[in-house]
Amino acid sequence: MLVELKNGETYNNGHLVNCDTWMNIHLCEVICTSMDGDRFWRKPECYTRGNTIKYLRVPDELNNAIEELTVQRQKLEKQRELLHAAREKILGQIEQMKKLEDLKIAPNFLNAPEIEDFDLLSS
């Protein structure tokens, strides 16, 4: 990763440790180059405030990894939608089964004396 500051200093070959919402960057194992490009320092770590950064250059592999993660996320969202639809369908079927069970006539109700005396053919 390459970071160039507004004052002309650059930080090369650093590994990004952390970056917050203000773009404050914590790098490790960096090579700092002076404004005029004459002097170099190897630093074990470096913290750069976000408002001093002119631009960043990230490796192409990182961009490719982001694209792959985006595709994977889209696939997972589709799977989640399918699972949600299947769940709703199953819950609907369970609700229908409960309604059918509620409509069934209880066996004790059929053995009631009023029902035995009732003649279906006479009506």
Side-chain angles (χ1 to χ4, degrees), residues 37-83:
D38 291 341
R39 293 172 288 177
F40 302 92
W41 299 273
R42 183 176 301 270
K43 294 184 177 184
E45 64 180 359
C46 159
Y47 182 81
T48 305
R49 190 170 167 170
N51 65 350
T52 63
I53 296 174
K54 183 176 181 180
Y55 72 87
L56 302 170
R57 185 181 298 163
V58 294
D60 291 335
E61 296 87 26
L62 185 62
N63 290 332
N64 295 338
I66 290 171
E67 290 174 7
E68 290 174 11
L69 288 174
T70 303
V71 170
Q72 288 177 357
R73 182 179 295 144
Q74 290 172 349
K75 287 180 182 179
L76 287 173
E77 286 175 6
K78 285 182 182 180
Q79 289 176 349
R80 185 181 296 138
E81 289 173 6
L82 291 173
L83 287 172

Side-chain angles (χ1 to χ4, degrees), residues 9-105:
E9 289 181 358
T10 59
Y11 295 91
N12 294 322
N13 300 331
H15 299 285
L16 181 65
V17 175
N18 194 8
C19 180
D20 62 15
T21 55
W22 294 280
M23 213 164 110
N24 298 325
I25 294 178
H26 181 200
L27 299 170
C28 68
E29 300 176 13
V30 297
I31 299 171
C32 178
T33 307
S34 64
M35 290 182 278
D36 53 7
D38 291 341
R39 293 172 288 177
F40 302 92
W41 299 273
R42 183 176 301 270
K43 294 184 177 184
E45 64 180 359
C46 159
Y47 182 81
T48 305
R49 190 170 167 170
N51 65 350
T52 63
I53 296 174
K54 183 176 181 180
Y55 72 87
L56 302 170
R57 185 181 298 163
V58 294
D60 291 335
E61 296 87 26
L62 185 62
N63 290 332
N64 295 338
I66 290 171
E67 290 174 7
E68 290 174 11
L69 288 174
T70 303
V71 170
Q72 288 177 357
R73 182 179 295 144
Q74 290 172 349
K75 287 180 182 179
L76 287 173
E77 286 175 6
K78 285 182 182 180
Q79 289 176 349
R80 185 181 296 138
E81 289 173 6
L82 291 173
L83 287 172
H84 181 70
R87 180 180 178 268
E88 291 297 319
K89 183 177 178 182
I90 290 171
L91 289 176
Q93 290 174 348
I94 290 172
E95 195 64 34
Q96 286 179 351
M97 291 172 61
K98 286 181 180 178
K99 287 180 183 178
L100 288 175
E101 287 178 3
D102 291 344
L103 292 176
K104 287 183 182 177
I105 300 173

